[in-house]
């Protein structure tokens, strides 16, 4: 027995080492299965939590410490919803200090069919034009689509990793798309990312079809129910992506006030805002057929050459009947403002106006009452015309009189 003692000791050590390694592997796998993250993802999530790495982009929006943020749409979410970023969430907007109609200082406001500028920090409306009228909103619809899907994820019905098989119907949806194929399967998070960043109509349709149990209509019914819950005036949804209906009466419509309320609800969820603030990303795995770069249509976001200070979302839209639309969220020096505009014939005109509108709004947000009083005290601007041209115009009308000045047109 003594002869084999050393050999038995060596074998015992080897068995113990293997046992330790096996236990470590089982613990690691169990941890990954519980959290749904690899070690690298775990480290990434940890870095984003305590340090609040994304806070400068979308603050102030405190969330529960357990709430991981995914940049690729694959990390799972907790069962609890994040903490609302504003205790005044859902309270009525205050119109007492709003400039109504066109803004004299911003000529670009004349091209907006409807719009609103709201300081969510104080709930003061700074500008309002047809603010409760339902107008076509095109792809801004997808804000609601992603909000409903995300709330289901938070409720524990799904996760960002839930697999969704592409349907034939979804693969045939046109317009802006990521060219889904019925032979493919994607995670729910990947589809939401495509709908948010690329404004993919096929991805939005598939999300609604999947959550609707194979039919889009139950999901659309939920969209309309959510609009009532959020008290969105002038709002009616017919589809989950914003594509035009067969007639104008079948277009998705919402009011600027309603879209501002929807934006406020979206701001409560960090993951949705991560996607909304992403300028460029990818869809499908690199090397896979159909791999593509997806770019945001919101040119005011960081990363764009036309970026506007503080803008971190939210969604653009366009169909012929809506014109170029935008719901923009902006944060400067702790003050959160939301701008909504619709009806612009040219995208650059829309963006130029929103950029000017935000600057104008932040300049008066601290004391809108004083700003409104100052506006009223400004003298009426007059346009002087030459005596010669006035005489010619008078002669043509047969009056023989000379008019030295004319009042500048200030239509609303």
């Amino acid at each position: 027995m003594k002869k084999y003692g050393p050999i038995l000791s060596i074998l015992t050590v080897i068995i113990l080492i293997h046992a330790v390694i096996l236990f470590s592997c089982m613990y690691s796998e169990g941890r990954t299965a519980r959290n749904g993250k690899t070690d690298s993802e775990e480290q990434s999530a940890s870095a984003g939590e305590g340090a609040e790495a994304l806070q400068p982009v979308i603050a102030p929006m405190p969330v529960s410490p357990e709430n991981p943020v995914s940049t690729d749409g694959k990390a799972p979410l907790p069962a609890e919803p994040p903490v609302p970023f504003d205790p005044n969430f859902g309270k009525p907007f205050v119109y007492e200090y709003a400039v109504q109609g066109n803004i004299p200082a911003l000529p670009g406001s004349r091209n907006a069919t409807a719009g609103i500028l709201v300081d969510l920090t104080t709930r003061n409306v700074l500008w309002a034009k047809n603010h409760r009228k339902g107008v076509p909103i095109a792809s801004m619809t997808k804000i609601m689509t992603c909000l409903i899907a995300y709330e289901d994820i938070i409720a524990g019905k799904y996760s960002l990793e839930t697999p969704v098989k592409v349907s034939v119907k979804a693969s045939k949806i046109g317009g802006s798309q990521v060219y889904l194929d019925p032979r493919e399967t994607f995670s729910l998070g990947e589809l939401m990312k495509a709908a948010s960043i690329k404004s993919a109509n096929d991805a939005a349709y598939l999300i609604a079809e999947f959550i609707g149990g194979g039919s889009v209509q139950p999901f659309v019914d939920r969209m309309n129910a959510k609009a009532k819950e959020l008290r969105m005036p002038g709002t009616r949804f017919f589809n989950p992506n914003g594509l035009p209906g067969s007639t104008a009466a079948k277009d998705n419509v919402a009011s600027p006030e309603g879209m501002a309320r929807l934006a406020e609800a979206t701001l409560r969820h960090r993951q949705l805002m991560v996607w909304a603030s992403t300028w460029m990303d990818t869809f499908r795995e690199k090397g896979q057929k159909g791999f593509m770069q997806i770019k945001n249509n919101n040119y005011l976001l960081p990363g764009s050459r036309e970026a506007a200070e503080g803008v971190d979302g939210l969604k653009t839209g366009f169909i012929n009947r809506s014109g170029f639309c935008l719901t923009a969220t902006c944060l400067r020096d702790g003050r959160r403002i939301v701008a909504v505009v619709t009806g612009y014939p040219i995208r650059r005109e829309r963006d130029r106006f929103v950029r000017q509108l935000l600057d104008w709004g932040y300049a008066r947000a601290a004391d809108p009452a004083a700003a409104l009083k100052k506006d009223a005290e400004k003298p009426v601007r007059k346009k002087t015309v030459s005596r010669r041209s006035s005489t010619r115009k008078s002669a043509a009308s047969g009056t023989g009189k000379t008019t030295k000045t004319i009042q500048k047109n200030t239509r609303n």
Side-chain angles (χ1 to χ4, degrees):
M1 195 69 181
K2 293 181 179 179
K3 179 179 179 181
Y4 298 103
I7 297 175
L8 289 174
S9 298
I10 293 172
L11 288 174
T12 301
V13 171
I14 292 173
I15 290 170
L16 287 173
I17 292 172
H18 279 78
V20 171
I21 293 173
L22 180 61
F23 177 78
S24 298
C25 290
M26 290 175 65
Y27 175 78
S28 178
E29 288 173 2
R31 185 184 177 201
T32 302
R34 288 193 304 272
N35 298 332
K37 291 181 272 191
T38 63
D39 289 340
S40 60
E41 289 171 332
E42 183 73 31
Q43 292 168 5
S44 177
S46 297
E49 285 169 8
E52 291 296 326
L54 291 168
Q55 197 72 358
V57 179
I58 57 177
M61 289 187 292
V63 294
S64 54
E66 298 79 20
N67 187 16
V69 177
S70 169
T71 57
D72 60 5
K74 295 181 180 179
L77 292 167
E80 303 81 20
V83 178
F85 81 95
D86 188 348
N88 294 320
F89 173 75
K91 290 184 178 180
F93 293 150
V94 179
Y95 284 86
E96 183 179 357
Y97 309 115
V99 172
Q100 299 283 344
N102 295 330
I103 303 172
L106 302 179
S109 61
R110 290 195 293 267
N111 292 330
T113 57
I116 197 169
L117 187 69
V118 185
D119 179 358
L120 292 182
T121 308
T122 60
R123 310 204 73 74
N124 286 328
V125 176
L126 304 173
W127 170 64
K129 181 177 181 181
N130 296 323
H131 56 285
R132 290 194 174 125
K133 179 181 179 181
V135 293
I137 57 172
S139 281
M140 293 197 301
T141 294
K142 297 182 179 84
I143 302 174
M144 178 66 86
T145 301
C146 289
L147 177 63
I148 290 178
Y150 193 78
E151 288 183 344
D152 277 2
I153 290 172
I154 287 178
K157 296 180 181 179
Y158 315 101
S159 78
L160 290 177
E161 292 182 310
T162 298
V164 182
K165 191 178 187 312
V166 177
S167 69
V168 173
K169 284 186 178 180
S171 69
K172 293 182 178 180
I173 301 298
S176 177
Q177 57 186 304
V178 284
Y179 304 98
L180 299 178
D181 189 294
R183 293 168 292 185
E184 295 179 301
T185 297
F186 295 95
S187 71
L188 182 56
E190 288 175 307
L191 295 172
M192 292 173 67
K193 180 178 78 170
S196 297
I197 301 174
K198 172 66 174 172
S199 194
N201 296 316
D202 48 358
Y205 185 94
L206 184 57
I207 291 168
E209 187 182 47
F210 171 73
I211 293 178
S215 173
V216 166
Q217 191 55 50
F219 189 91
V220 173
D221 291 341
R222 288 184 61 189
M223 295 171 72
N224 287 308
K226 188 68 178 179
K228 289 182 179 179
E229 178 189 326
L230 294 174
R231 299 193 302 278
M232 296 172 61
T235 302
R236 177 69 179 173
F237 294 105
F238 293 93
N239 62 58
N241 46 35
L243 283 170
S246 55
T247 64
K250 294 291 184 180
D251 288 345
N252 290 351
V253 297
S255 61
E257 180 182 303
M259 292 306 301
R261 292 191 176 280
L262 180 58
E264 184 180 27
T266 301
L267 280 162
R268 299 173 70 194
H269 304 294
R270 290 185 64 190
Q271 180 62 72
L272 294 180
M273 292 306 298
V274 167
W275 287 323
S277 62
T278 299
W279 171 241
M280 193 170 292
D281 209 315
T282 58
F283 187 73
R284 297 186 181 90
E285 296 295 331
K286 194 170 185 179
Q288 182 182 355
K289 182 180 179 181
F291 169 79
M292 62 193 306
Q293 277 197 327
I294 53 176
K295 183 174 73 65
N296 209 307
N297 292 316
N298 184 356
Y299 285 80
L300 300 185
L301 290 175
S304 166
R305 294 179 181 177
E306 304 171 37
E309 179 191 352
V311 171
D312 56 7
L314 187 61
K315 191 73 190 70
T316 61
F318 174 81
I319 59 174
N320 288 332
R321 285 193 285 262
S322 72
F324 286 93
C325 313
L326 174 61
T327 297
T329 54
C330 188
L331 181 69
R332 298 181 188 174
D333 298 325
R335 188 181 295 277
R336 170 68 71 182
I337 286 182
V338 173
V340 181
V341 297
T342 69
Y344 279 82
I346 299 173
R347 192 272 298 174
R348 288 184 181 275
E349 286 184 5
R350 175 202 67 190
D351 294 349
R352 185 183 306 115
F353 170 66
V354 172
R355 187 181 291 104
Q356 294 172 348
L357 179 66
L358 289 169
D359 290 342
W360 175 86
Y362 275 103
R364 63 196 291 130
D367 194 347
L372 205 61
K373 183 179 179 181
K374 188 175 181 180
D375 290 344
E377 293 172 349
K378 288 181 179 178
V380 177
R381 295 178 62 187
K382 295 181 178 182
K383 182 178 179 181
T384 305
V385 296
S386 68
R387 184 180 185 87
R388 182 177 179 181
S389 62
S390 299
T391 303
R392 189 186 302 119
K393 184 179 290 186
S394 298
S397 64
T399 63
K401 296 179 181 180
T402 300
T403 303
K404 294 184 178 180
T405 61
I406 61 174
Q407 191 82 10
K408 185 178 181 181
N409 188 350
T410 56
R411 282 184 308 172
N412 286 333

